Amino acid sequence: MSEVATDHEVATIEAVIVSYLTAFNRGDAAAVVANYADDGVLIAPVGPAVEGKAVLANLYLGLFEAVSFDMKYEIKEVVQTSADWAFVRSATEGTETIKATGDVLPARYQELFLLHRSATAAWQIARYCTSKIVES
């Protein structure tokens, strides 16, 4: 990066991910998707990549109808790599409740978010990759 990221810029980038993780934890699909760029991509632990806000909205609606989450998150690092790109690495841990059965399962994930500054100067999630940590 040719310029040093300011504390304010790093806080602004981190706030997008905190907004996403907080909305995810409360099962608010509209608020989750609001953090994505129009062409945002989710690479989840199962299935193919999901591309675009409309498809993401359907995916999150279906997920939250089937599962509720009680997760705590930790932001591990925030790095602005250029004027318009940054990444955030985080980890979440807690429980997932399968609504159809009431089963409560422990859950741990690691996440990597790639953010891009939009034409309106707002930071948005351009790409998001998450993987479930499975104990062996």
Side-chain angles (χ1 to χ4, degrees), residues 8-89:
H8 174 354
E9 197 69 24
V10 168
T12 301
I13 293 163
E14 183 173 335
V16 173
I17 303 310
V18 169
S19 173
Y20 169 89
L21 293 168
T22 303
F24 185 92
N25 203 39
R26 70 174 185 267
D28 185 341
V32 164
V33 173
N35 292 288
Y36 276 94
D38 289 341
D39 62 348
V41 176
L42 166 65
I43 303 166
V46 296
V50 179
E51 301 179 30
K53 273 190 169 179
V55 181
L56 287 163
N58 287 333
L59 175 121
Y60 283 108
L61 280 171
L63 175 63
F64 296 145
E65 286 175 0
V67 182
S68 63
F69 298 87
D70 184 11
M71 307 292 281
K72 297 200 181 331
Y73 63 83
E74 179 182 358
I75 303 296
K76 298 287 191 174
E77 65 182 315
V78 178
V79 178
Q80 185 178 359
T81 58
S82 72
D84 294 331
W85 290 95
F87 72 84
V88 176
R89 184 173 62 90

Side-chain angles (χ1 to χ4, degrees), residues 12 15 18 41 44-45 49 54 57 68 72 82 84 92-93 99 103 106 108 114-115 117 134:
T12 301
V18 169
V41 176
S68 63
K72 297 200 181 331
S82 72
D84 294 331
T92 54
E93 185 171 354
K99 292 181 177 180
D103 292 340
R108 291 178 57 210
L114 180 62
L115 290 88
R117 191 189 307 265
V134 180

Side-chain angles (χ1 to χ4, degrees), residues 109-130:
Y109 292 87
Q110 53 193 354
E111 302 94 15
L112 184 63
F113 297 89
L114 180 62
L115 290 88
H116 186 254
R117 191 189 307 265
S118 72
T120 64
W123 287 99
Q124 298 177 309
I125 299 168
R127 305 294 182 266
Y128 169 39
C129 182
T130 180

